[in-house]
Amino acid sequence: MGERDIPVRGRFAPTPSGRMHLGNVFSALVAWLSARAAGGSMVLRIEDLDPRAQHPGVAQTLIEDLAWLGLTWDEGPYWQSERADVYAEALARLDAAGLLYPCFCTRADLRAASAPHASDGALVYPGTCRGLCAEEVARRSAVRPPSVRLRVPDADDPAGTIEFVDLAYGPHRENLARDCGDFLVRRSDGVVAYQLAVVVDDALMGVTQVVRGHDLLPSCARQTYVARLLGWEPPRYGHVPLLVAPDGRRLAKRDQDLDLGALRERGVSAERIVGTLAAAAGLADAGCEARPEELVTAFSWDNIAAHRDDIVVDEVFLGALLR
Ligand code: GLU
């Protein structure tokens, strides 16, 4: 069976740390349109891994907001907070392969010792704790619990160079040793890292297509590496532009005047929100109001690719949204 014959299964994977903002809605809309245009299905997964980031009721509101927008799902919601066993099993498999090691570096140690990655300023882990002997690990563990890192291949090992073709941004290539180094799969407080949980979940939930904000493009290489180590085919990736303020700053959950709570309170309809976002991505005419299902036949990744600059939430955009 060729890749084209595999049914598309997409997902929404929101983190319930606040109300959805327009950028989240845009990613969710494109994920939904891409899956539906291919006759595929959607899974809803609540990424509530981090107990510190949870606010009671936020996840339920998020679920209700998606339904209000007309972004339906076929399976779920799944809750990451209920899936500790599957993550532990994946970690045990990586450990059995000799690929994990405890790391005692603090954030300050990392900032001091890591080389910033040339292109995006992210830190490259220099391997400080890679070679600690068992006695040293035991001595340090008595002082503070370690986090856990996954070894990546050396820079000249072909296994550590990950290549894929993004549905919107095209060919992408990363060298794990040069671009991130050994990375965290479990935090020192025992919480499983996003990079591990997302791979385990996407694989076990049969997700074949991952659509999300462009800020997560650099995670694909790590996630592809983890998937392959665990014997899974990585999904197709499609990243979408971010929504930014006119000064270039990313819209975030703190831009509460543009979150779904504020927009719904102002009486802005779901059709207006969906239509305005679709128009900004070249998927609909300016000023259009639409339900997601009305946009399915016109959806194409070529349009997203042709509009892949960040979407500026400027006066024109706001004029269309709030008119
Ligand atoms: N949970 C992440 C977020 O809400 C998305 C993760 C992903 O799509 O891989 O930003």
Side-chain angles (χ1 to χ4, degrees):
M1 190 155 97
E3 188 187 31
R4 281 169 192 287
D5 305 320
I6 299 173
V8 170
R9 197 164 158 87
R11 40 71 147 186
F12 304 121
T15 301
S17 54
R19 201 79 187 245
M20 280 172 119
H21 61 75
L22 286 173
N24 304 135
V25 177
F26 182 57
S27 299
L29 174 64
V30 177
W32 189 93
L33 289 174
S34 179
R36 297 298 185 212
S41 56
M42 286 299 286
V43 173
L44 171 58
R45 174 172 79 235
I46 305 297
E47 301 216 319
D48 58 345
L49 264 185
D50 187 346
R52 288 178 321 187
Q54 306 312 318
H55 304 283
V58 170
Q60 284 306 335
T61 310
L62 233 156
I63 292 170
E64 203 272 313
D65 280 340
L66 283 169
W68 178 77
L69 288 160
L71 299 173
T72 49
W73 56 95
D74 306 282
E75 206 179 293
Y78 293 103
W79 301 79
Q80 286 191 324
S81 57
E82 295 173 357
R83 297 173 56 76
D85 292 356
V86 290
Y87 308 136
E89 194 190 321
L91 281 172
R93 282 170 60 197
L94 296 171
D95 198 29
L99 291 164
L100 302 185
Y101 64 87
C103 171
F104 298 89
C105 295
T106 61
R107 265 174 212 274
D109 294 337
L110 294 175
R111 268 195 302 273
S114 310
H117 180 289
S119 61
D120 64 3
L123 297 178
V124 180
Y125 183 66
T128 317
C129 294
R130 219 183 208 222
L132 296 182
C133 65
E135 293 75 36
E136 188 62 18
V137 168
R139 192 182 66 72
R140 294 199 195 188
S141 299
V143 181
R144 63 188 292 263
S147 55
V148 177
R149 285 186 187 269
L150 174 66
R151 283 173 201 276
V152 302
D154 292 340
D156 55 4
D157 180 340
T161 295
I162 309 283
E163 293 179 282
F164 61 92
V165 180
D166 187 84
L167 289 162
Y169 289 83
H172 194 81
R173 178 192 172 110
E174 269 192 54
N175 181 283
L176 291 167
R178 281 195 208 105
D179 293 332
C180 66
D182 299 340
F183 57 92
L184 284 185
V185 286
R186 205 181 69 199
R187 297 190 332 205
S188 60
D189 60 4
V191 175
V192 170
Y194 157 70
Q195 302 292 0
L196 182 91
V198 77
V199 172
V200 171
D201 284 343
D202 284 337
L204 299 185
M205 293 171 191
V207 168
T208 63
Q209 188 177 92
V210 166
V211 178
R212 56 191 178 190
H214 177 238
D215 53 324
L216 286 170
L217 190 58
S219 288
C220 294
R222 276 167 280 176
Q223 294 171 9
T224 298
Y225 175 61
V226 172
R228 288 185 184 150
L229 288 175
L230 292 169
W232 296 319
E233 182 67 30
R236 279 306 301 272
Y237 291 110
H239 288 78
V240 300
L242 302 180
L243 272 78
V244 297
D247 63 3
R249 186 181 49 82
R250 267 181 72 189
L251 285 198
K253 292 197 168 141
R254 63 177 181 277
D255 291 296
Q256 282 170 355
D257 46 339
L258 286 178
D259 74 17
L260 275 192
L263 293 173
R264 289 181 69 173
E265 212 158 282
R266 277 181 86 130
V268 182
S269 67
E271 290 78 2
R272 178 83 57 75
I273 295 172
V274 166
T276 308
L277 289 169
L283 301 172
D285 293 334
C288 121
E289 298 191 6
R291 298 292 295 165
E293 60 269 23
E294 295 171 287
L295 301 170
V296 171
T297 38
F299 177 81
S300 116
W301 276 100
D302 291 343
N303 275 351
I304 304 285
H307 293 80
R308 64 189 192 190
D309 291 340
D310 288 343
I311 296 172
V312 184
V313 180
D314 55 12
E315 307 245 309
V316 178
F317 184 100
L318 289 174
L321 183 69
L322 306 175
R323 94 189 105 95

